[in-house]
Amino acid sequence: MQGWPGHRHPPVGRSGQELTGNGGCLSRGHHGCDCVQGCRTATDLERSRYRELVESQSELVSLASPEGVLRFVNHAYARHYGLQPHEMEGRNLFDFIPEDSRAAVAEHLRIVCSVSHSVENENQVVLSDGQVRWMAWTNRALFDAQGQVTTIHSVGRDISDRVAAERRLQESEARYRLLADHSTDMVFQLDGDLVRRYVSPSCRDILGYEPEDLIGAQPMAMAHPEDAPIVTLAFQSMLEGRADRRSIINRIRHQDGHWIWVEAQLKALKDPKTSTISGIIGTLRDVSARKAIEDQLQEANRRLQTLAEQDALTGLANRRYFDEALLRAHAHALSQRTNLALLMIDVDRFKSFNDRYGHPSGDECLKRIGGAIKDTIRRAGDVAARYGGEEFAVLLPNADGAEAASVAELIRLAVLHLGIEHEASPNGVATISVGVTWLTHDFPCGPEALVREADRALYRAKERGRNTVVIAHG
């Protein structure tokens, strides 16, 4: 990843735009303003829900760019470092990591950005007063529709006390037993065959079992079938000396039969004389509530991403998504020497429709026409978007002029057959005009030129009396 570690990046502002993307709906002209306001209201509500979720948590929550620039931290996060949120947002997270730990953290984040699931890590951080603390992090990369990493979502907690406790446990077996027996986390010890040799009394509260019920058995027997392979691999990597510490989040069956999410922090036990691995010591805690919150945050992010790319009124792609899709499709067509067709669609006499039937009916008309367009194009890769106001656009990758004209005619007929009453129309119902153009590898042009050609064809369709399809250069 570029910029890791230690490279400073330009500050990122604290606006909701940085957190969620632009959820507004773009329109052309003054039509569809109610839609724009509605979309913004929905986006603001999602942002408010997201902030309410994270600000109510005692755990540290942050959103960072793939390069490590902090875009958002909750108050618990900033308070832990002795700062205010605005003093941290815009800075690089590596500013708060000891120099000798940055390479390891950079490698961890590289792994996070290469997988689609949460990855655990423990590292030291430096607070504003110079104090160094140990932190445990659950990091997950968030991807856009093209599979590119847009954000790293992190949930952390201070584990300095636990790390210190582990060190003390190694120094004295008596102190180890005293601490383990009174810990709210379940402390356990496994031998070289992964058989439990010690389980602290906290197992009663977490798993519903007595310690003697668990001692002498292997933990994999209680793991969820989907999680058992991951748990087994983690234990094996430690016994083989490939990892000194591991953190696992998985499901375990409670004594009453239901599944709970637990987090296990594991450390390999070594013989002080031979340094060979003699077993594993670990702590276990119930994180079911935290996992539910993480799932809610993930769903909130997914909904925000959808709002950023979808027109709230019609459910089609919005102008922002269409512009990005056009650039991608155009670049692909040129590099692969394939065709690319574009349809520009406009609802005929829509101002008269609004004047006669009112804006609510106008919105309903646009929704039905958008639905007819969506139902007509069914190929994978085709994109239908509300371009603005009463105008729509359709991208047809790998389509030539004849195919594009055929699709345009099917859309025109589909809208005509909706039979939406329109007294100002010569047909008595709402109709559309369509301009068609296409790009071939023999006659390439830029994406802006492609839009202009389709617009000119649409204008000629209007001149010819509307409710018709006109092909560019035809």
Side-chain angles (χ1 to χ4, degrees), residues 26 28 311 313-319 322 342-348 350 362-374 377 383-395 411 415 418 431-436 451 454-455 458 462:
L26 301 176
R28 303 177 76 183
D311 174 59
L313 179 65
T314 63
L316 301 179
N318 60 18
R319 172 68 178 273
F322 173 82
L342 172 63
L343 315 182
M344 296 300 290
I345 303 168
D346 190 77
V347 182
D348 298 328
F350 189 68
D363 287 348
E364 182 62 26
C365 175
L366 293 177
K367 284 198 289 187
R368 294 184 64 188
I369 290 176
I373 295 172
K374 182 178 180 180
I377 62 167
V383 177
R386 186 181 179 198
Y387 198 72
E390 67 272 22
E391 194 168 3
F392 299 86
V394 175
L395 273 177
I411 293 174
V415 172
L418 289 175
T431 60
I432 58 171
S433 298
V434 187
V436 180
V451 173
D455 263 334
L458 174 60
K462 295 288 188 181

Side-chain angles (χ1 to χ4, degrees), residues 1 41 46 80 93 126 196 200 212-213 220 240 254 324 340 342 372 393 403 422 431 447:
M1 290 192 177
T41 300
E46 292 294 338
H80 182 268
L93 61 85
V126 181
R196 297 190 191 93
S200 70
E212 53 269 26
D213 296 331
M220 286 79 73
E240 294 169 3
H254 191 275
E324 294 173 353
L340 173 64
L342 172 63
E403 292 172 310
H422 189 356
T431 60

Side-chain angles (χ1 to χ4, degrees), residues 180-187 198-215 222 253-256 258 260 284 286:
D181 284 353
H182 293 83
S183 173
T184 56
D185 289 355
M186 187 187 94
V187 181
Y198 170 78
V199 178
S200 70
S202 294
C203 65
R204 300 186 184 102
D205 297 328
I206 296 174
L207 299 176
Y209 288 97
E210 292 295 324
E212 53 269 26
D213 296 331
L214 301 176
I215 293 174
M222 296 174 60
R253 188 186 297 277
H254 191 275
Q255 191 273 339
D256 66 12
H258 76 280
I260 64 171
L284 192 80
D286 187 337

Side-chain angles (χ1 to χ4, degrees), residues 66 83 123 139 145 155 162 194 221 239 370 401 423 468:
L83 299 170
N123 61 269
N139 299 311
V155 178
R162 193 202 76 204
L194 298 179
L239 292 179
E423 291 181 351
T468 189

Side-chain angles (χ1 to χ4, degrees), residues 408-434:
E409 180 62 15
L410 288 174
I411 293 174
R412 185 191 70 80
L413 291 174
V415 172
L416 183 66
H417 293 158
L418 289 175
I420 302 172
E421 181 183 346
H422 189 356
E423 291 181 351
S425 170
N427 302 85
V429 295
T431 60
I432 58 171
S433 298
V434 187

